[in-house]
């Protein structure tokens, strides 16, 4: 048994499930960098699509069970904390997914095996594979086991992310909501780099980069927040 075969066996041990369809498991663990995007290589991107829906279902039903009286807005906020690529990446690491993944040497070299975006997608693909191979109960069991720490985080006081802070600041100034725009997307699919700008009426736009669109938007918002101590925006007289 080679190192990767041992990692796959350890993954199945941790999740407590042995796949009947080994090809399905292999597809869930195969990153798009394998084969340099060749169509003959079946990677996990289609499974990510299904896994995202299954994950949202599992998280939503668990939130409703934990607090039958919770309002929709509060549940939506908690759902966003549970279902995002950072939370998925942490769950993937708990399950031993990084070591079991199949990806190109170049992707591994640039750090894709530890990338939250890559691991988040792989986790969703694995959830989809569990759903297809073992049914909803199997996918639900994975979610309940590897999201325990994420539910514990819900009770922790948390600071607002930069995008939320910027939105609230703009509203407090009587200004329209910030507008985000993707300036460029560079790099290979397994290691993209996004440049995003954000503009608040009356202020010069700010640009920032990130490994994902979300990260770039947060970085740009953080840059814009630094202007709060600067001069007031110039508004033309009518």
């Amino acid at each position: 048994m080679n190192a990767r075969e041992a990692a796959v066996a350890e993954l199945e041990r941790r999740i407590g499930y042995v796949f009947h369809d080994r090809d399905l498991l292999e597809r869930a663990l195969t990153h798009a960098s394998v084969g340099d995007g060749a169509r003959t290589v079946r990677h996990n991107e289609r499974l990510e699509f299904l896994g995202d829906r299954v994950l949202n279902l599992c998280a939503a039903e668990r939130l409703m069970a934990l607090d039958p009286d919770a309002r929709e807005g509060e549940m939506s906020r908690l759902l966003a904390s549970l279902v995002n690529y950072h939370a998925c990446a942490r769950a993937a690491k708990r399950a031993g997914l990084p070591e079991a993944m199949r990806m190109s040497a170049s992707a591994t070299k640039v750090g894709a095996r530890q990338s939250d975006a890559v691991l988040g997608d792989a986790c969703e693909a694995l959830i989809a594979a569990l759903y297809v191979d073992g049914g909803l109960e199997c996918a639900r069991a994975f979610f309940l086991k590897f999201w325990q720490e994420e539910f514990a985080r819900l009770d922790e006081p948390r600071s607002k992310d930069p995008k939320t802070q910027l939105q609230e600041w703009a509203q407090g100034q009587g200004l329209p909501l910030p507008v985000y725009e993707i300036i460029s997307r560079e790099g290979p699919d397994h290691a993209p780099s996004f440049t995003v700008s954000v503009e608040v009426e009356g202020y010069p736009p700010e640009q920032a980069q990130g490994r994902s669109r979300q990260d770039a938007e947060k970085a740009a918002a953080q840059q814009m927040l630094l202007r709060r101590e600067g001069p007031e925006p110039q508004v033309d007289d009518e």
Side-chain angles (χ1 to χ4, degrees):
M1 182 181 292
N2 60 35
R4 183 170 177 273
E5 289 173 341
V8 172
E10 174 62 14
L11 170 67
E12 290 184 304
R13 186 194 68 78
R14 290 192 189 187
I15 67 179
Y17 183 80
V18 176
F19 277 80
H20 303 288
D21 187 342
R22 307 305 295 179
D23 289 339
L24 177 65
L25 172 60
E26 191 67 11
R27 192 180 353 146
L29 298 177
T30 299
H31 186 250
S33 62
V34 175
D36 294 324
R39 292 186 178 183
T40 55
V41 177
R42 302 187 72 190
H43 50 71
N44 60 16
E45 288 184 353
R46 281 176 57 86
L47 287 172
E48 294 165 23
F49 175 81
L50 175 60
D52 177 68
R53 276 69 184 171
V54 177
L55 174 58
N56 273 274
L57 171 61
C58 291
E61 68 176 10
R62 183 58 178 163
L63 287 172
M64 292 189 68
L66 288 174
D67 188 352
D69 298 322
R71 294 181 177 275
E72 180 184 357
E74 175 64 8
M75 287 194 295
S76 294
R77 183 186 70 81
L78 295 175
L79 185 70
S81 297
L82 294 169
V83 181
N84 58 72
Y85 70 94
H86 294 300
C88 287
R90 289 191 291 267
K93 292 175 182 177
R94 295 177 196 123
L97 192 53
E99 296 78 11
M101 287 189 66
R102 181 175 169 234
M103 64 174 57
S104 70
S106 60
T108 299
K109 186 176 181 179
V110 299
R113 197 175 294 275
Q114 297 302 321
S115 162
D116 276 9
V118 171
L119 290 178
D121 289 344
C123 187
E124 290 181 342
L126 180 61
I127 290 172
L130 286 165
Y131 173 77
V132 173
D133 198 70
L136 179 58
E137 188 57 42
C138 188
R140 183 186 291 119
F142 176 89
F143 170 75
L144 293 176
K145 179 176 183 179
F146 292 103
W147 257 260
Q148 288 183 13
E149 292 185 29
E150 301 307 315
F151 277 95
R153 287 169 177 261
L154 295 180
D155 296 327
E156 297 177 355
R158 53 179 69 220
S159 59
K160 295 176 182 177
D161 67 69
K163 289 182 65 177
T164 300
Q165 293 182 50
L166 182 60
Q167 177 178 318
E168 293 180 350
W169 171 72
Q171 290 177 316
Q173 300 293 316
L175 299 171
L177 295 178
V179 176
Y180 296 88
E181 180 183 359
I182 297 179
I183 302 301
S184 65
R185 182 192 186 282
E186 301 175 341
D189 288 342
H190 60 268
S193 175
F194 290 83
T195 300
V196 169
S197 73
V198 61
E199 186 170 0
V200 174
E201 185 177 291
Y203 288 82
E206 290 287 343
Q207 290 188 13
Q209 291 183 320
R211 293 291 298 275
S212 69
R213 175 178 176 174
Q214 294 91 334
D215 285 348
E217 287 179 349
K218 288 180 181 179
Q222 186 64 57
Q223 287 290 106
M224 180 65 74
L225 285 168
L226 297 177
R227 292 185 175 275
R228 290 188 299 179
E229 302 301 325
E232 291 298 313
Q234 299 299 314
V235 179
D236 294 335
D237 294 330
E238 294 184 358

